[in-house]
Amino acid sequence: MTTIAHKLQEVRTRIGAACEAAGRRPEDVQLLAVSKTFPAECVLQAARAGQRDFGENYIQEGVDKIAAVRAALPDQALCWHCIGPVQSNKTRLVAEHFDWVHTVDRPKIAERLSAQRPAGLAPLHVCIQVNIDGGPTKAGVPPEAALELARVVAKLPRLTLRGLMAIPDHAPEYIAQLSIHKSAKAIFDQISALREPGLEHFDTLSLGMTADLEAAIAAGSTLVRVGSGVFGARSYRAA
Ligand SMILES: *Cc1c(COP(=O)(O)O)cnc(C)c1O
């Protein structure tokens, strides 16, 4: 077994244990393997070990990797998620190459993604990024603006609104992690209770990373984004 296959199994075991502790079903929490900074070869190893969903932060790096992985595994339908910041000049690449984007935080980006989504592809799945702990320099809409942006995304023809995403500041203590994750879950619940047109597929709470996935799952995350837990420590480089 490769190291990546082994680490994937460890992460799946952690997710399973966290679900059991929270009284949730393991199939209700999806694992997104965050492959940023790792070469296509690492994605191939994970894909061969059964991993299907992959997340990338840097758009050009992601586009290149998607092409390399598709060439190597033409018969395997992987699902690619953009989880990094999206500037206006990168929306076309995201719309043309990714299946999901978790980081929509303003109407202009949503409108461009919808307009640029190629006709031959299914609508782009979208999560709205919420700045859950409120730092002014952080990406994401303030919690009180999430619903308004959700309604904008819900009306766009080539987007499917799937849920919310948050990246809270790292907190070392489980209790602090849980409390901030629960505030994201509360906003998620408010919006999903609305039953408005365009909200039919609002089912995804993208929350939790390697260090805090247990707290995220306890709070109600439906998708954990795990990088180092699956691929090992990253060495950062200019991307
Ligand atoms: C890098 C990254 C992750 C994964 O982080 P790990 O701590 O390696 O699990 C998850 N989400 C986002 C948005 C990231 O940028």
Side-chain angles (χ1 to χ4, degrees), residues 34 36 57 83 165 167 209-211 225-229 234 236:
V34 177
K36 66 180 176 206
N57 280 62
I83 61 169
M165 178 268 210
I167 316 174
M209 318 201 297
T210 300
R225 308 178 307 265
V226 180
S228 48
R234 283 183 293 277
Y236 279 94

Side-chain angles (χ1 to χ4, degrees), residues 1 4 14 16 30 49 98 102 109 116 122 144 148 166 182 233:
M1 192 188 276
I4 288 174
R14 277 179 68 188
Q30 208 182 344
F98 285 84
H102 292 221
I109 296 295
Q116 293 168 342
E144 62 276 13
E148 194 183 330
K182 279 185 172 168

